[in-house]
Amino acid sequence: MRDVLGDIAGWYASGETFGLATVVNTFRSAPRPPGAAMAVSPGGEVAGSVSGGCVEGAVYDLAQSVMASGEPVVQRYGVSDDDAFSVGLTCGGILDVLVEPVGPATFPEFAEVAAAIERHEPVAVATVVAGPGRLGARRVIWADRASGSLAPGAPHAGRLDAAVDDDARGMLAQGLTGQRHYGAEGERRLDDLTVFVHSFAPPPLLLVFGAIDFAAAVARIGKFLGYHVTVCDARPVFATPKRFPEADEVVVKWPHKFLEEARGAVDERTAICVLTHDPKFDVPLLEVALRTGAGYVGAMGSRRTHEDRLARLREAGMTEAELGRLRSPIGLDLGARTPEETAVSIAAELVQLRWGGSGRPLSDTTGRIHADAP
């Protein structure tokens, strides 16, 4: 829904009820992940995509029907038995898509959810997609409160809602979107009821240290990948917003001191790119970075620079386990030379780390293209 928010917020504000299709489960090589969304306005305007074009026509027709009936539907799309090119997914994947009518009457919390997403405030939307109860029943969960119910009017609603609240907050903390299964009263050992939890967590952090040409390229591609990008350098003549227009913030401060202060915001989704390749900057910075919970710490430089850097870090007291977290030289081996090419190699390594890919040409691999996240 994040991708179509600008369009559907306007439709909602005008009082219209539109059709919202959301991928709630995938199998095999599905082209879009859970949470991918497509919306259809009452006038027939389309925003977003659930499959990259494979089944959009069928989903469009279903959204029209759902808007007319007012009843949500979960539809599975896969390869057609008769003709793989008719409605099915030619890639061989399978999608489960929830198509529901959304408007002020059916989703009164929508405006508040949209505002939270715009503010980068964590919020999750939990929806019943299978099992007993009402298909499409919805609950919105924030860090400190919740609204709505997954079993409105049922005597056990409080227990089910409480169980989902706990799980949704855990998923929010990790930025996870997906299905959870429960008994009718919230029992986690049962799977009678399927709930889709759509997490809208703040974007992951990309911390780029070193205000150089390579940093400008990394900042651009980082924004393209959906990161909140910060560029930091101790030299005010280089660290300026004009030089890094794509960055969300440009900070003039000694890198290691900035990272110490920002440590509380660093989590396993954070990527730290050290591009200074100057010992007086990167050694104290890496001492801090490799002791944070960041999921990625990479440093630019030649192999000779890398060996010298490791020796200095060992002298500073860093353990081999800590040094083993360092990805240096930074990026995948693409033969990159220019700042833009180097940024692509760094981005490729970030994507590989996120999804567990091999980094090899797909033409040299077999089996599923889209593997589950590690």
Side-chain angles (χ1 to χ4, degrees):
M1 189 167 69
R2 191 192 300 272
D3 293 340
V4 300
L5 189 61
D7 293 288
I8 64 180
W11 301 343
Y12 186 92
S14 68
E16 296 180 335
T17 294
F18 54 90
L20 180 64
T22 306
V23 177
V24 297
N25 205 12
T26 64
F27 307 89
R28 300 201 295 269
S29 295
R32 297 295 308 276
M38 169 180 155
V40 180
S41 75
E45 183 180 352
V46 177
S49 169
V50 292
S51 73
C54 299
V55 301
E56 264 66 12
V59 174
Y60 178 88
D61 292 339
L62 183 56
Q64 297 278 13
S65 298
V66 164
M67 283 189 284
S69 69
E71 296 296 327
V73 175
V74 174
Q75 179 68 49
R76 175 164 291 183
Y77 296 97
V79 175
S80 169
D81 291 334
D82 299 322
D83 180 357
F85 291 92
S86 60
V87 175
L89 296 167
T90 56
C91 63
I94 298 173
L95 297 174
D96 285 344
V97 180
L98 169 67
V99 186
E100 56 187 329
V102 173
T106 63
F107 195 169
E109 303 93 348
F110 175 83
E112 198 172 0
V113 170
I117 295 171
E118 291 287 352
R119 294 193 301 267
H120 293 166
E121 175 187 334
V123 62
V125 179
T127 309
V128 173
V129 295
R134 179 165 64 83
L135 178 67
R138 186 186 298 108
R139 185 167 173 84
V140 181
I141 302 105
W142 287 267
D144 56 352
R145 60 192 174 93
S147 177
S149 177
L150 297 167
H156 57 263
R159 291 190 291 275
L160 173 62
D161 290 341
V164 174
D165 289 355
D166 288 343
D167 289 347
R169 289 183 177 120
M171 294 172 72
L172 263 179
Q174 301 177 68
L176 297 177
T177 286
Q179 292 187 352
R180 293 293 183 268
H181 304 279
Y182 304 90
E185 298 187 16
E187 304 96 326
R188 291 181 175 85
R189 67 184 184 278
L190 301 178
D191 60 1
D192 306 321
L193 184 74
T194 301
V195 177
F196 176 68
V197 180
H198 197 169
S199 295
F200 298 97
L205 301 179
L206 175 59
L207 306 179
V208 183
F209 294 97
I212 61 177
D213 289 348
F214 289 89
V218 171
R220 285 196 297 273
I221 205 164
K223 286 300 296 180
F224 181 74
L225 291 178
Y227 285 90
H228 179 94
V229 179
T230 298
V231 176
C232 176
D233 196 296
R235 302 166 298 176
V237 67
F238 294 109
T240 65
K242 184 176 181 180
R243 295 190 69 228
F244 301 95
E246 289 85 3
D248 293 286
E249 57 180 345
V250 179
V251 176
V252 179
K253 187 169 289 189
W254 276 85
H256 69 285
K257 292 182 178 178
F258 169 77
L259 187 55
E260 280 282 12
E261 295 170 1
R263 183 191 289 265
V266 173
D267 61 21
E268 62 186 9
R269 299 187 302 145
T270 301
I272 298 174
C273 296
V274 179
L275 309 182
T276 49
H277 54 86
D278 182 335
K280 69 175 178 291
F281 289 114
D282 58 18
V283 170
L285 171 59
L286 288 169
E287 284 187 71
V288 179
L290 293 171
R291 288 169 175 158
T292 68
Y296 178 94
V297 180
M300 192 168 71
S302 66
R303 298 195 189 279
R304 180 177 178 179
T305 298
H306 172 63
E307 292 302 323
D308 177 70
R309 183 188 290 133
L310 288 180
R312 292 172 183 269
L313 289 169
R314 289 189 182 102
E315 290 175 3
M318 301 213 69
T319 67
E320 293 305 312
E322 290 169 336
L323 295 177
R325 298 185 57 218
L326 177 61
R327 293 172 178 265
S328 175
I330 196 170
L332 295 189
D333 180 15
L334 304 182
R337 285 171 168 76
T338 68
E340 290 74 21
E341 291 173 345
T342 301
V344 170
S345 77
I346 294 171
E349 190 169 39
L350 291 174
V351 173
Q352 180 197 28
L353 180 65
R354 177 182 294 177
W355 296 109
S358 67
R360 296 162 53 201
L362 284 172
S363 59
D364 291 345
T365 65
T366 59
R368 293 173 57 193
I369 293 176
H370 302 107
D372 295 329

